[in-house]
Amino acid sequence: MDSITQAALGATVAGAIAGRRCNAKVLLAGALLGTLPDLDVFIDYGDDISNTVKHRGFSHSILILLPFSLLVAGLLQRFKPLADWSFSRLWLLILLCLVTHPLLDTFTSYGTQLLWPLHGYYSLSSVFIIDPLYTLPLLIAIAIGVVRKAALSRYCLIALVVSSAYLGWSLMAKQIVEKRAYASLEQRGFSAEKVFIAPTPFNTLLWRIVVLDGEHYWEGLASVLDTHPDIEFISQSRGEWPLATQPESLLALRDFTGDFVRYEQLNKQLIVTDLRLGMFGNLAFKFQFGSKEASGDWRLQEPVRLPQPSIQGELTLLRDRALGDQTINASLGLCSSPCANM
């Protein structure tokens, strides 16, 4: 999730645990602890692929944050003891402010290494990385609590209940869409290799569905407000890797994405794209793996992430599709008749 959300979550968690001890300093400490795991973005792992797949690694691992929280609490208790704070309460505040960060990240599509150094990316893909409906209750509670200081902790607790209920709703909404997606595929006699479902930006009403099918993939949209259960899918080329062997960086990217990647040869560039993050025509993670020489052979290079171009498509169509307009396909106006669909 975004830094503002993580800071707000850390602050409200700290406020709820502090109880009558809650004050502005406690909220600030919680906000700092809540953003601490994301400091790994400043670590350079050597190349753009490594920086991508190793983000949300050790700093997001419960196996690391648990002993780290004990260490921090012990140092504070030893060198700067806080009046009226027991060690157990202080440790619980530090631990939960840290751990709720990766737990919330797990609800997004990126992939969080919750058990690092054990291998594995955990992702529920039920909320977008920025979702105002999750963040606003946290910010409102902090704003009201600062004015009504006597009830600050109670407001923080209420906000956490509301925001957690929203996460629960996101899982329910995904289940609704997932059931529709598989029913639509089965109705067409379509056997899919893999299916990926995630919310579209800033909401949990409209969901993006990506289906792998050999050298092609299908992309569709479904809203929980749709009146017809059928889902329209657009077919796109997935391409293939043009060389006999695959470099370690490509294998790492395939592992990170669950193999939801697309291969393209554009302007003598060999490009591999993560199909999970973004939308039709606006995929966020594209990497150049090589270039074509005059001889026609591919020359591999250290993978470089390509800059993301300006957003394409009509954003108003995103709103209309979320509200149940099923005449709008997954391209959001980037293609209509030329797109192959089913």
Side-chain angles (χ1 to χ4, degrees), residues 179-190 229-231 233:
K179 184 177 179 180
R180 282 181 55 199
Y182 279 103
S184 292
L185 294 172
E186 183 178 356
Q187 185 179 13
R188 293 172 170 83
F190 190 73
D230 190 42
I231 299 175
F233 289 92

Side-chain angles (χ1 to χ4, degrees), residues 81-95:
L82 303 175
D84 207 23
W85 279 81
S86 66
F87 175 80
S88 59
R89 184 182 290 268
L90 177 62
W91 170 66
L92 185 63
L93 183 149
I94 295 171
L95 174 65

Side-chain angles (χ1 to χ4, degrees), residues 278-290:
M279 293 190 65
F280 186 102
N282 296 283
L283 297 173
F285 287 81
K286 296 186 176 185
F287 300 91
Q288 181 179 345
F289 274 76

Side-chain angles (χ1 to χ4, degrees), residues 148-224:
R148 301 180 180 181
K149 297 180 180 179
L152 178 54
S153 180
R154 184 177 66 182
Y155 285 120
C156 288
L157 182 59
I158 293 173
L160 290 173
V161 171
V162 173
S163 61
S164 297
Y166 182 73
L167 293 179
W169 150 254
S170 73
L171 294 173
M172 291 174 57
K174 182 177 180 180
Q175 287 295 315
I176 293 171
V177 171
E178 187 176 79
K179 184 177 179 180
R180 282 181 55 199
Y182 279 103
S184 292
L185 294 172
E186 183 178 356
Q187 185 179 13
R188 293 172 170 83
F190 190 73
S191 178
E193 295 177 11
K194 293 183 179 180
V195 179
F196 172 79
I197 300 175
T200 57
F202 316 127
N203 78 103
T204 51
L205 290 178
L206 183 62
W207 296 74
R208 176 174 175 258
I209 306 162
V210 180
V211 183
L212 298 187
D213 178 28
E215 294 183 4
H216 294 81
Y217 69 96
W218 301 86
E219 187 166 345
L221 291 175
S223 170
V224 296

